[in-house]
Amino acid sequence: MLLRFGYVAIALDVPQGSPNKTVTVKVLEKITDPSGRLHRLRRILRENLETTLRVLRYNAKNKIHLYRFTSKTVPLATHPLTAGWNYIEEYRPQWEELGDYIRQNDLRVSAHPDHFTLLNSPQPEVLAASLQDLEYHARLFDAMKLPLGPQLVLHIGGLYKDKTAAMDRFVQQYTRLPAALGQRLMLENDDKSYHAADVLALCRKTGCPMILDVHHHACLPCDIPLTKLWPDIVATWQGKRPKIHISSPKSAKDFRSHADFVNAADLTEFLAVAKDCGQDVDIMVEAKQKDLALFRLVEDLARLPGITRVEPAALEL
């Protein structure tokens, strides 16, 4: 059973390895000349694209097969100040270069729209903004010419004082999405509102694959044991390699926040269950120390009985 590991957005072991440079609305508004605003936006995007390619090269060199793009690649992409800016066509060669590199090196990439992307919101303006954000993310994968597949991680959203109605509304809104956009989504359990069983039920209704966030599952458990839950989650991937998220709590007092590194013990229960299932798994490390946390976790796990390190960011179980 192969376990592959990845990290989120910023490569700390790469000089200038942050591809999420941006500009605030306040600063951009101070640039009154439209051409000046556009020049600022173009400069930032160009730098982010160059950094992203540099990070992908680092990943390939170190055999890191998983990577999550920052949502800030395009500065203020969905803000009215940038309306009319065709950041796809202007940088078409750079987007396609990223896509070519991803395919040539067999990298699995994803993105995670922000927490304000609420597909089950009853408020039309919130829903409209959420759809705009999802379309922005999908547009980037289209620009890179990456095939349709589960690439955008999404939470279910708010409870709105009626969980059943909110879940039904999610399904309704999902069915109205363009088919291509729907095929890019995967759903994740959260730490406050929708536990793993809730999300699994919605994945069965929508056909979306499910991300199991192990830390969120500790924060908000459900009644179904992991031994039963995991095979059912694997089934939502319909033969594709499932992916999970792992992080450790920052502290006992601040349990929901992510720590700098991941404690290997926080993953061992899942690994025991996964081993019985026998399905290869991709594991996204959500830790403040990014790639450094990934390598430390892999090293720590490789010391455990029955686990062998086969690549810098992969283990055999």
Side-chain angles (χ1 to χ4, degrees):
M1 174 183 168
L2 183 66
L3 308 172
R4 303 191 306 178
F5 294 78
Y7 66 99
V8 178
I10 300 172
L12 295 180
D13 205 28
V14 174
Q16 298 181 345
S18 175
N20 61 353
K21 300 292 191 299
T22 190
V23 60
T24 65
V25 172
K26 186 175 181 179
V27 168
L28 201 62
E29 285 177 335
K30 290 180 179 178
I31 305 174
T32 56
D33 178 22
S35 63
R37 283 184 180 178
L38 198 53
H39 175 77
R40 181 70 172 268
L41 293 167
R42 285 168 171 162
R43 179 175 59 80
I44 295 171
L45 176 54
R46 184 168 57 250
E47 182 178 349
N48 283 344
L49 291 171
E50 291 170 353
T51 302
T52 299
L53 183 58
R54 185 163 59 248
V55 169
L56 291 176
R57 286 171 174 160
Y58 163 80
N59 292 348
K61 179 181 178 181
N62 289 279
K63 299 186 184 301
I64 301 172
H65 294 281
L66 274 70
Y67 177 68
R68 183 190 298 169
F69 288 109
T70 172
S71 293
K72 297 179 181 178
T73 302
V74 182
L76 302 179
T78 60
H79 196 277
L81 281 173
T82 64
W85 177 32
N86 195 336
Y87 50 81
I88 298 298
E89 286 305 322
E90 285 190 11
Y91 291 90
R92 176 72 66 182
Q94 289 89 339
W95 291 116
E96 292 184 0
E97 183 180 18
L98 290 175
D100 289 343
Y101 194 84
I102 288 165
R103 287 188 298 273
Q104 291 164 7
N105 291 276
D106 191 29
L107 304 179
R108 183 177 186 177
V109 295
S110 61
H112 197 330
D114 292 329
H115 65 279
F116 58 78
T117 304
L118 303 169
L119 198 58
N120 72 342
S121 175
Q123 299 177 304
E125 65 276 12
V126 174
L127 178 60
S130 299
L131 293 173
Q132 185 182 23
D133 191 53
L134 288 176
E135 289 164 356
Y136 153 67
H137 284 86
R139 197 175 299 123
L140 303 190
F141 286 90
D142 290 340
M144 290 183 279
K145 295 186 176 180
L146 297 179
L148 294 177
Q151 293 146 338
L152 302 181
V153 181
L154 189 65
H155 291 297
I156 305 307
L159 292 172
Y160 305 105
K161 299 181 180 180
D162 188 336
K163 188 175 188 177
T164 300
M167 291 174 69
D168 289 342
R169 192 162 51 248
F170 182 93
V171 174
Q172 292 168 7
Q173 299 295 1
Y174 176 85
T175 59
R176 295 170 183 165
L177 294 176
L181 179 55
Q183 290 179 55
R184 292 206 188 272
L185 298 186
M186 43 189 164
L187 309 183
E188 176 191 359
N189 57 304
D190 64 66
D191 58 349
K192 292 182 179 180
S193 302
Y194 294 94
H195 54 56
D198 292 329
V199 178
L200 179 59
L202 289 178
C203 286
R204 285 169 167 162
K205 289 182 178 180
T206 60
C208 287
M210 177 176 168
I211 294 276
L212 174 67
D213 189 302
V214 176
H215 180 205
H216 290 172
H217 186 56
C219 295
L220 185 66
C222 63
D223 294 334
I224 303 175
L226 194 59
T227 51
K228 174 65 172 66
L229 199 62
W230 178 241
D232 289 342
I233 291 173
V234 170
T236 68
W237 289 87
Q238 300 181 35
K240 298 183 178 71
R241 187 195 303 258
K243 186 165 72 165
I244 71 165
H245 294 169
I246 183 64
S247 56
S248 289
K250 186 175 182 179
S251 66
K253 185 177 180 180
D254 190 7
F255 194 81
R256 287 189 171 90
S257 297
H258 294 173
D260 286 348
F261 294 91
V262 177
N263 186 338
D266 292 330
L267 190 58
T268 51
E269 179 189 2
F270 168 79
L271 292 181
V273 172
K275 184 177 181 180
D276 288 341
C277 187
Q279 170 67 52
D280 293 346
V281 183
D282 283 346
I283 301 172
M284 181 63 69
V285 174
E286 297 184 320
K288 300 297 184 183
Q289 289 297 306
K290 309 294 182 177
D291 52 320
L292 305 183
L294 179 162
F295 288 127
R296 180 183 290 189
L297 176 61
V298 171
E299 289 173 359
D300 291 345
L301 289 170
R303 298 189 186 100
L304 300 179
I307 299 182
T308 304
R309 188 168 185 169
V310 295
E311 285 185 350
L315 299 169
E316 191 75 38
L317 177 59

